[in-house]
């Protein structure tokens, strides 16, 4: 049986797949395949390991053919996968929740601290040779202790980011589709509507999936409700934020700053963002630790093997046979 793998992954994935007697057909590169190359890569595959940059839609499923039984997305987000199309064709869908929770929450905090304490500007100053020494009024940032951390989407990652906020002495408010009562108690978090969260938070950190409902959730109006000193952090998906509206809000001082790991049209970044001092930009690094990427590789390989061998798999977004 053939497993199409759309990018070079940590080697454990290939070791596990080949160890189970499967043939790996890999796009053996760090850059994405063209759409044409992707469609020919999946032709006749029994299993697929794909990335958030691969669109898994009707056309791809057609190209794969009727033998395809499982697609494992090397990500927790599934917005690149047409789940209903997979279900209709009996293709199981796996993903990688859990193993990237701490890594992504850490990155949200790395961006937040970098913006709040102006680390990027400080780094540039030191490297430029222009630093003339310690000075009482140089690059003053914002304190976080005692301030309010607003979480949009208190799932695994949102809760992990909020737990860090508690560690930094911040109060936590959150919003989302549903209340998370156990987490509320654990984190002493208060559930509020989005509008109130935007108004009371000193930090707004996004942890919701990308869905039709969350697209441009943070638009001009939402940004207008935020505090003029507030910092927006996005480690979720780029299209949750209206990037053009964000550029305007940052330029006009409607909000204080932003830490962004994700963008609306990756890898293209709105050029307005690049010119701004009060933003820190990362190239979608949320899960990018050695440990986490290895765990994700293991998880997708094990999911593919289990589905093909008829074993059980945790975290399937679509069960084997489409659940029929
Ligand atoms: C990365 O963005 C993921 O969804 O895992
Ligand atoms: C990640 O693991 C999430 O579900 O938030």
């Amino acid at each position: 049986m053939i497993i199409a793998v759309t990018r070079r992954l940590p080697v454990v994935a290939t070791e596990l797949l080949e160890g189970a007697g499967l043939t790996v057909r890999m796009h053996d590169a760090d850059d994405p395949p063209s759409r044409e190359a992707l469609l020919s890569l999946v032709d006749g595959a029994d299993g697929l390991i794909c990335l958030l940059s691969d669109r898994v839609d009707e056309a791809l499923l057609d190209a794969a053919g009727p033998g395809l039984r499982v697609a494992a997305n090397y990500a927790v987000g599934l917005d690149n996968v047409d789940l209903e199309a997979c279900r209709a064709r009996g293709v199981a869908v796996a993903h990688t929740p859990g193993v990237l929770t701490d890594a992504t929450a850490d990155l949200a905090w790395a961006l937040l601290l970098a913006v709040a304490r102006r680390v990027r500007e400080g780094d540039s100053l030191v490297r430029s040779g222009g630093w003339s020494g310690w000075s009482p009024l140089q690059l003053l940032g914002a304190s976080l202790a005692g301030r309010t951390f607003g979480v949009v989407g208190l799932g695994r990652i949102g809760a992990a980011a909020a737990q860090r906020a508690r560690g930094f002495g911040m109060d936590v408010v959150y919003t989302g589709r549903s209340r998370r009562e156990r987490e509320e108690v654990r984190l002493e978090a208060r559930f509020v509507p989005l509008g109130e969260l935007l108004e009371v938070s000193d930090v707004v950190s996004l942890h919701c999936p990308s869905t039709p409902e969350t697209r441009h959730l943070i638009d001009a109006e939402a940004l207008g409700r935020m505090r003029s000193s507030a910092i927006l952090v996005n480690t979720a998906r780029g299209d949750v934020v209206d990037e053009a509206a964000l550029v305007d809000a940052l330029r006009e001082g409607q909000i204080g700053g932003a830490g962004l790991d994700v963008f609306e049209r990756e890898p293209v970044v709105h050029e307005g963002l690049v010119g701004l001092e009060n933003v820190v930009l990362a190239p979608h690094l949320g899960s990018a630790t050695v440990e986490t990427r290895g765990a994700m590789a293991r998880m997708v390989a094990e999911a593919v093997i289990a589905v093909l061998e008829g074993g059980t798999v945790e975290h399937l977004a679509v069960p084997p046979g489409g659940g029929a």
Side-chain angles (χ1 to χ4, degrees):
M1 285 192 278
I2 296 168
I3 312 304
V5 179
T6 67
R7 208 77 68 84
R8 196 178 284 154
L9 295 181
V11 65
V12 62
T14 310
E15 287 170 0
L16 287 168
L17 294 167
E18 289 179 348
L22 300 166
T23 301
V24 174
R25 186 198 289 160
M26 183 183 286
H27 173 72
D28 195 7
D30 296 322
D31 289 325
S34 66
R35 182 71 180 166
E36 208 184 356
L38 178 64
L39 297 185
S40 87
L41 184 84
V42 301
D43 184 2
D46 301 278
L48 167 66
I49 293 178
C50 49
L51 272 59
L52 55 92
S53 46
D54 304 320
R55 206 155 23 84
V56 179
D57 55 7
E58 297 278 3
L60 183 138
L61 296 170
D62 280 342
L68 185 69
R69 286 168 56 201
V70 55
N73 205 38
Y74 190 71
V76 65
L78 284 163
D79 43 289
N80 59 307
V81 180
D82 183 339
L83 297 177
E84 287 319 310
C86 290
R87 195 185 307 278
R89 295 177 191 232
V91 177
V93 178
H95 62 139
T96 64
V99 294
L100 45 64
T101 302
D102 285 320
T104 308
D106 284 349
L107 204 271
W109 269 85
L111 292 171
L112 170 55
L113 289 168
V115 175
R117 299 305 302 277
R118 307 180 64 176
V119 174
R120 193 191 58 75
E121 292 159 88
D123 181 88
S124 298
L125 180 63
V126 173
R127 285 172 201 266
S128 73
W131 182 40
S132 54
W134 193 92
S135 163
L137 299 179
Q138 188 170 65
L139 287 178
L140 303 188
S143 295
L144 295 174
R147 297 261 161 85
T148 298
F149 187 81
V151 181
V152 178
L154 196 71
R156 294 181 189 83
I157 300 169
Q163 186 180 342
R164 286 156 176 72
R166 297 293 295 149
F168 277 83
M170 298 184 78
D171 297 323
V172 174
V173 295
Y174 80 100
T175 196
R177 266 180 319 175
S178 51
R179 288 200 48 175
R180 305 289 305 271
E181 294 183 5
R182 287 233 317 270
E183 298 292 24
E184 262 181 45
V185 174
R186 185 171 73 86
L187 300 163
E188 297 181 74
R190 192 161 62 85
F191 181 85
V192 293
L194 177 64
E196 183 178 342
L197 180 138
L198 296 168
E199 285 164 13
V200 304
S201 296
D202 299 291
V203 176
V204 174
S205 195
L206 306 178
H207 300 286
C208 54
S210 162
T211 65
E213 292 74 44
T214 62
R215 188 184 142 73
H216 286 190
L217 187 69
I218 306 301
D219 57 7
E221 198 217 322
L223 291 159
R225 296 180 83 154
M226 287 172 64
R227 299 186 163 186
S228 59
S229 57
I231 295 171
L232 178 71
V233 179
N234 190 6
T235 54
R237 280 292 181 271
D239 64 0
V240 177
V241 176
D242 179 340
E243 223 163 71
L246 175 62
V247 170
D248 290 341
L250 287 162
R251 271 201 192 124
E252 289 158 19
Q254 253 174 40
I255 70 169
L260 306 173
D261 188 41
V262 288
F263 303 90
E264 274 199 84
R265 289 172 299 128
E266 293 177 17
V268 176
V269 174
H270 193 297
E271 62 182 35
L273 289 171
V274 178
L276 289 167
E277 288 293 346
N278 51 345
V279 296
V280 174
L281 308 172
H284 205 143
L285 294 176
S287 64
T289 71
V290 174
E291 294 82 356
T292 292
R293 289 286 168 83
M296 290 165 67
R298 175 175 291 279
M299 200 163 175
V300 288
E302 285 176 345
V304 165
I305 294 164
V307 170
L308 294 178
E309 292 181 347
T312 54
V313 195
E314 273 182 283
H315 307 305
L316 284 179
V318 175

